[in-house]
Amino acid sequence: MIDLGLARIGRLLQHTPQTWKAIHVAGTNGKGSICASLSAMLSASGVSCARFTSPHLIDRWDCITINEKPVPETIFRQVEGLVKQRDQDEKIGATEFELLAATAFEIFHRLKVEYGVIEVGLGGKLDATNIMKHKSVTVIAKIGLDHQSFLGNTIEEIALQKAGIIRSGVPCVVDGSNESSVLKVIQDHAKEVGGVELHYPSSDSALVQVLTNEGYEPHQVQNLACALLAFRLACPDFDHSLGRLLRIVKKLQWPGRLQRIDLFPIVGRHQEALLDGAHNSQSAEVLAAYVNKHYRSPSQSITWVLAASKGKDVDSIMSHNIQPSDQVTAVQFGPVDGMPWVKAEDPTNLIDQAIRYGVDTQNTHDSGDDVRTALEWASKAAGDKPIVIAGSLYLVSSVLRLMREAESHQKA
């Protein structure tokens, strides 16, 4: 189901000209947030802007937005049908992600957008999104270990794949907080490509200080600094005043990233939970820092609702976040629409791992494949203490979908 390469996507799009300017964003963590900030700034500046990120959150078509709104389902299905028919007629054999990327690019062309903000699906060099011919700016966010079976076993190998989005003559914004070995790989590849100017927004100490003073967490400072600089480079003639851009970004809510939600529609009482898609060691470490700073204390344990995709490094997620005084329920998210290769980890394995980190067996619960049951158990177990839902973006999707259904049912 995952087969990296550009030949098939090239054939799918051979009759679809790229009539829009692209900002291409790669990285292990933070790239979705950078894309969201960029498209918000572009749209607020009066530019017709589209965004393509993955995976989708609730509906399969919400991974494509036009001027900050999900593309209408009717348009998505119409264009997707055309792309799938093209794939069938020409016997291309495209993957699910290639069909989705081609659908997005076809929609961008048909709706005549000026800019497209594109998140890499997996890696960079051989990712379907890298078929783009016209890039205004590329961005390389924080890089860590993830998807090693496709990208390489070392962080340097993974960095080289991410650096594959770099183009000659196109400025590249790089998260300067990356490990020195990662930065060297990117610099060496940029020299090999030639004609590439690398920009490091974290070297702007004044900007970093302003963002820190605004209350952004360290990883958010890096992501936002990258987005601000990429916007300036892509649109040099626009209003770049920091105050204006920060007002735009502050209105932005990127779901599933340190998102605070009220579980009332599901559990029947007002109870806040932190919803985060942390699913690898690096993002788990960021989540742990946030939870320890804002929620945890010697007298305040955490109640966790956890899920994970098969093949993920569950141990690293647990090691950063789980403490013996915590309570843990594990659940299996359901099938992911359009991504049949994604499978959920058995909740029993997650519970066993939590117990190995010292959690009392009596403070654990296997919720099977019922996300509602997991949230109800967590609500009762937590009482007035914090609840954190994490481990997978697909769990985030399941929770948000359940919230929407519950709210819809209450209105009916």
Side-chain angles (χ1 to χ4, degrees):
M1 292 296 183
I2 298 177
D3 185 11
L4 299 176
L6 300 179
R8 293 178 300 271
I9 186 76
R11 291 177 63 192
L12 277 176
L13 291 171
Q14 61 183 329
H15 302 302
T16 305
Q18 187 191 329
T19 48
W20 39 276
K21 301 171 186 175
I23 302 177
H24 202 193
V25 185
T28 306
N29 295 300
K31 58 186 184 295
S33 298
I34 291 171
C35 286
S37 296
L38 275 166
S39 63
M41 288 186 275
L42 286 163
S43 293
S45 300
V47 175
S48 175
C49 171
R51 184 177 73 226
F52 175 51
T53 55
S54 60
H56 63 272
L57 277 170
I58 301 178
D59 301 308
R60 199 154 49 87
W61 49 91
D62 68 25
C63 63
I64 302 170
T65 66
I66 307 295
N67 297 324
E68 299 301 273
K69 294 181 180 179
V71 67
E73 180 183 0
T74 51
I75 294 177
F76 174 82
R77 293 198 181 278
Q78 178 190 8
V79 176
E80 181 190 46
L82 179 148
V83 169
K84 286 185 172 180
Q85 190 62 51
R86 187 183 296 162
D87 178 59
Q88 185 177 332
D89 290 347
E90 300 185 25
K91 297 181 173 56
I92 296 172
T95 66
E96 292 280 354
F97 183 75
E98 288 165 349
L99 293 169
L100 186 60
T103 298
F105 292 179
E106 183 77 33
I107 289 172
F108 292 5
H109 169 60
R110 289 180 174 219
L111 297 185
K112 296 181 171 60
V113 300
E114 294 175 67
Y115 279 87
V117 179
I118 312 298
E119 177 188 14
V120 167
L122 182 63
K125 179 182 178 181
L126 298 176
D127 185 73
T129 62
N130 207 29
I131 196 66
M132 292 184 293
K133 297 285 193 296
H134 312 298
K135 300 184 184 183
S136 296
V137 180
T138 58
V139 182
I140 301 178
K142 192 79 170 187
I143 294 175
L145 291 174
D146 203 0
H147 302 294
Q148 289 95 314
S149 58
F150 295 100
L151 305 179
N153 292 319
T154 69
I155 197 169
E156 293 80 16
E157 289 175 306
I158 293 172
L160 184 58
Q161 290 295 318
K162 308 284 187 186
I165 69 168
I166 290 174
R167 292 288 186 275
S168 180
V170 178
C172 178
V173 176
V174 181
D175 183 334
S177 70
N178 274 296
E179 294 181 19
S180 58
S181 62
V182 166
L183 297 177
K184 186 177 186 308
V185 168
I186 295 170
Q187 290 159 2
D188 289 347
H189 185 71
K191 287 178 184 175
E192 184 180 330
V193 171
V196 180
E197 190 173 348
L198 298 179
H199 298 262
Y200 303 92
S202 57
S203 63
D204 185 344
S205 57
L207 173 61
V208 170
Q209 190 60 55
V210 168
L211 297 181
T212 301
N213 292 344
E214 289 287 331
Y216 290 103
E217 300 296 323
H219 73 287
Q220 294 173 326
V221 169
Q222 297 296 336
N223 293 340
L224 187 48
C226 284
L228 289 166
L229 183 50
F231 175 74
R232 293 189 182 105
L233 292 169
C235 308
D237 299 326
F238 287 23
D239 180 359
H240 300 144
S241 60
L242 185 57
R244 183 185 83 92
L245 296 179
L246 286 180
R247 285 193 295 274
I248 294 166
V249 173
K250 281 185 176 179
K251 297 176 184 176
L252 177 68
Q253 173 62 70
W254 189 229
R257 277 73 170 181
L258 300 179
Q259 179 185 5
R260 298 185 182 193
I261 61 173
D262 184 352
L263 295 176
F264 175 79
I266 297 171
V267 303
R269 72 184 184 102
H270 291 289
Q271 187 165 30
E272 183 182 284
L274 184 69
L275 181 65
D276 193 85
H279 60 280
N280 54 46
S281 179
Q282 198 175 76
S283 57
E285 189 173 357
V286 167
L287 174 61
Y290 185 86
V291 169
N292 293 340
K293 178 181 177 182
H294 295 282
Y295 291 97
R296 194 185 288 283
S297 70
S299 60
Q300 183 112 291
S301 60
I302 307 296
T303 298
W304 296 89
V305 180
L306 299 176
S309 299
K310 277 189 179 297
K312 289 295 181 183
D313 184 2
V314 174
D315 183 69
S316 66
I317 297 173
M318 294 276 190
S319 65
H320 288 301
N321 285 283
I322 303 301
Q323 295 190 11
S325 60
D326 290 347
Q327 303 177 94
V328 177
T329 181
V331 67
Q332 184 173 316
F333 55 78
V336 181
D337 189 14
M339 303 177 76
W341 63 89
V342 175
K343 305 295 181 185
E345 182 62 78
D346 186 334
T348 304
N349 295 335
L350 300 180
I351 293 297
D352 289 345
Q353 195 83 332
I355 292 171
R356 282 197 288 274
Y357 277 98
V359 177
D360 192 312
T361 305
Q362 294 182 342
N363 290 333
T364 65
H365 182 261
D366 185 337
S367 296
D369 61 358
D370 192 332
V371 176
R372 178 183 287 274
T373 295
L375 296 175
E376 290 173 344
W377 182 90
S379 175
K380 291 175 183 175
D384 294 327
K385 293 182 178 179
I387 296 174
V388 181
I389 307 164
S392 171
L393 285 169
Y394 307 114
L395 176 60
V396 168
S397 297
S398 295
V399 171
L400 293 177
R401 192 175 298 110
L402 192 60
M403 293 277 288
R404 184 177 70 176
E405 291 168 0
E407 289 169 351
S408 177
H409 180 72
Q410 287 174 359
K411 289 176 183 177

